[in-house]
Amino acid sequence: MIPVTGFEGAKVAVLGLGRSGLAAARALRAGGAEPLVWDDSATAREAAGSEGFSLVDPLKAGALNGVAAMTVSPGIAHLYPDPHPAIMAAWAAGVPVDNDVGLFFRSLAAGDWDRHVTPPRVIAVTGSNGKSTTAALIHHCLTEAGMPAQLAGNIGVGVLDIEPPEDGEVIVLELSSYQIDLARALTPDVAVFTNLTPDHLDRHGGRGGYFAAKRRLFAEGGPDRAVIGVDEKEGRYLANQLAEGPGDGRLIRVSATSKLTGPGWDVTARKGWLSETRKGRQAASIDLRGVRGLPGVHNHQNACCAYGALRALGIAPRVIETAFQSFGGLPHRSQIVGERNGVLFVNDSKATNVDAAAKALAAFPRVRWICGGLEKEGGLDGLKPVLGSVSKAYVIGREAEGFALKLGDLPVEVCTDMAIAVARAAAEAEPGETVLLAPAAASFDQYDNFEQRGQDFMDQVAKVLAV
């Protein structure tokens, strides 16, 4: 645990008592503060009360009197589409609103560094797609290189739940737009921006607000080094804003779609080859085509982002290449579940939007595609360029028929549930094809989350493989 500093003897309101909220309450208490906790769920309040926390409804008259700050869980809307009433109450009372990420950076910077020969460093990764894989890949490579490292944030444990870092340790954080947008302190040593595609637009008032939230990690944080994916206009804009000139070595540009030129520091992936270029000369290259845990162009982009962050720390290219080979991938993200008679079964349940699903489809030459669920804003038109590799779609979800109608002339079977979809796809798949779960939709019509959906897919595949 990282004890929260700066609030010794003060009252701090904690709104939301999920994983990050409870961790914040514990860390505040460990740092000498008095947490006053609340959640709209009676079950969550009961769990917090069993740990001895004081339950205080911030909407009660006088509840925020004498409160020094309020920390808010990332799932609670703080501006769009409408701020939670308790947050508006904090604004009215003049109480600063923060979150666990802000408390983390504030408290880590106040640590006792006298015992460290090499101070700990933080790599923070954000973006629309690929940030989990990129963060996990960075952590894996650091561990393989023999460096102490911890992985936290939107993946793994909460930022305040990590152990106090040891000498020379690297903390790798995956940070969502929700987490970045509200944090009052952001000071990573290396910050990574993978890409930007439309997502969570209701929470940020549109695409511009969504990008603005991501941009705060760089504009507010002032990292020593920035690794920026420039395959979208927002990334190119951000890179231009950060660079002091064409050869600014603090900026590492990343692309998986085009060759980058100029005197700067670039990492690109083309036709399966990662290439590092500095001052117009190639410094290193890695063949990614045989890295089983990183299939497809989208994962090659993730590899480039991870490579850039690792090179920013001075890790040698050959050390990174060796570590790439042993990376197994993440659950529910291009996860290879099994293989039978030349048919591969892949779980990409995390492909909850059109862009992520398109990238998953493009990673395999011939696909039996399991898709469907709660469709997001923007429709399915973004999938059209990659549907040529799809032999047939097997649609699940409560609105499966409506989803199927939007797939045009593609051969489609409305299956509704996962068991039928997997059984039908497996029965019809031919050698060389991939049965791929890449829903292009949210899971909440049938599942609690994408992990549960992915587990159902794996369970159904296990039944097929057992026959």
Side-chain angles (χ1 to χ4, degrees):
M1 179 190 297
I2 303 293
V4 173
T5 59
F7 294 105
E8 294 80 0
K11 296 178 180 179
V12 178
V14 178
L15 180 64
L17 297 172
R19 183 188 69 174
S20 65
L22 271 178
R26 295 175 187 130
L28 282 160
R29 184 163 62 184
E34 181 186 350
L36 308 178
V37 307
W38 190 254
D39 194 289
D40 292 338
S41 164
T43 302
R45 295 197 300 269
E46 183 179 349
S50 69
E51 293 191 33
F53 290 113
S54 299
L55 298 171
V56 177
D57 184 350
L59 294 179
K60 296 293 185 182
L64 295 176
N65 291 345
V67 170
M70 173 184 284
T71 180
V72 178
S73 294
I76 298 173
H78 58 270
L79 186 55
Y80 300 113
D82 290 298
H84 190 282
I87 293 177
M88 290 193 288
W91 295 346
V95 175
V97 178
D98 203 347
N99 64 11
D100 61 329
V101 172
L103 297 180
F104 165 82
F105 278 110
R106 170 183 180 143
S107 302
L108 192 70
D112 180 11
W113 301 129
D114 291 345
R115 59 190 178 89
H116 293 119
V117 176
T118 303
R121 290 169 288 181
V122 177
I123 299 175
V125 181
T126 195
S128 297
N129 299 310
K131 57 185 179 292
S132 294
T133 296
T134 299
L137 182 57
I138 293 169
H139 178 260
H140 171 79
C141 292
L142 291 169
T143 302
E144 291 294 298
M147 296 181 66
Q150 295 186 69
L151 179 63
N154 206 41
I155 184 175
V157 302
V159 293
L160 293 170
D161 269 337
I162 69 169
E163 294 299 318
E166 61 183 80
D167 188 76
E169 188 159 16
V170 180
I171 301 165
V172 185
L173 302 180
E174 179 202 336
L175 298 181
S176 71
S177 57
Y178 297 178
Q179 292 171 306
I180 296 169
D181 200 16
L182 197 57
R184 297 173 71 90
L186 290 164
T187 54
D189 297 278
V190 179
V192 181
F193 176 86
T194 59
N195 51 56
L196 193 92
T197 57
D199 206 358
H200 308 304
L201 301 188
D202 59 330
R203 271 291 297 269
H204 297 291
R207 184 178 179 122
Y210 177 50
F211 173 59
K214 301 283 189 186
R215 184 177 177 272
R216 287 192 77 245
L217 182 63
F218 304 85
E220 304 288 335
D224 295 333
R225 284 265 166 76
V227 180
I228 308 294
V230 295
D231 287 335
E232 294 86 31
K233 62 184 178 182
E234 289 88 354
R236 293 190 288 276
Y237 168 82
L238 182 56
N240 183 267
Q241 288 280 297
L242 294 174
E244 293 295 332
D248 191 342
R250 298 171 303 162
L251 171 69
I252 302 174
R253 298 185 302 166
V254 166
S255 176
T257 63
S258 60
K259 182 179 180 180
L260 301 177
T261 60
W265 191 351
D266 301 324
V267 182
T268 59
R270 301 184 72 200
K271 298 181 179 179
W273 284 88
L274 180 153
S275 178
E276 176 189 0
T277 305
R278 302 185 72 173
K279 298 181 180 179
R281 295 183 179 181
Q282 183 170 296
S285 65
I286 296 175
D287 185 356
L288 298 173
R289 293 171 297 179
V291 181
R292 194 171 174 87
L294 296 168
V297 173
H298 63 303
N299 274 312
H300 294 175
Q301 182 187 57
N302 298 336
C304 287
C305 289
Y307 180 93
L310 293 161
R311 292 291 288 132
L313 294 186
I315 309 297
R318 293 299 159 230
V319 173
I320 299 172
E321 180 177 18
T322 299
F324 277 4
Q325 297 296 334
S326 60
F327 181 66
L330 285 181
H332 315 298
R333 297 164 177 86
S334 296
Q335 177 187 10
I336 297 174
V337 177
E339 188 171 1
R340 188 184 70 171
N341 299 330
V343 176
L344 193 65
F345 295 84
V346 176
N347 167 24
D348 205 328
S349 183
K350 184 61 171 67
T352 59
N353 59 46
V354 166
D355 184 71
K359 289 175 178 176
L361 287 168
F364 304 98
R366 295 164 55 203
V367 176
R368 299 277 170 175
W369 178 34
I370 298 176
C371 57
L374 281 180
E375 188 180 337
K376 293 188 175 180
E377 275 187 58
L380 304 178
D381 288 348
L383 292 166
K384 290 180 179 179
V386 296
L387 293 183
S389 65
V390 178
S391 302
K392 184 176 178 179
Y394 305 81
V395 187
I396 63 173
R398 293 179 185 172
E399 305 297 329
E401 291 187 5
F403 195 99
L405 288 173
K406 297 179 181 180
L407 297 178
D409 297 331
L410 190 71
V412 171
E413 183 171 340
V414 174
C415 299
T416 306
D417 68 36
M418 188 70 74
I420 296 172
V422 171
R424 294 292 299 143
E428 296 181 350
E430 300 175 356
E433 290 187 327
T434 297
V435 175
L436 171 68
L437 170 64
S443 59
F444 305 121
D445 58 332
Q446 292 182 310
Y447 303 94
D448 290 339
N449 48 53
F450 74 85
E451 292 96 340
Q452 190 182 83
R453 176 173 59 190
Q455 186 60 54
D456 190 14
F457 173 78
M458 292 191 292
D459 291 343
Q460 301 306 324
V461 170
K463 293 177 183 178
V464 168
L465 297 180
V467 175

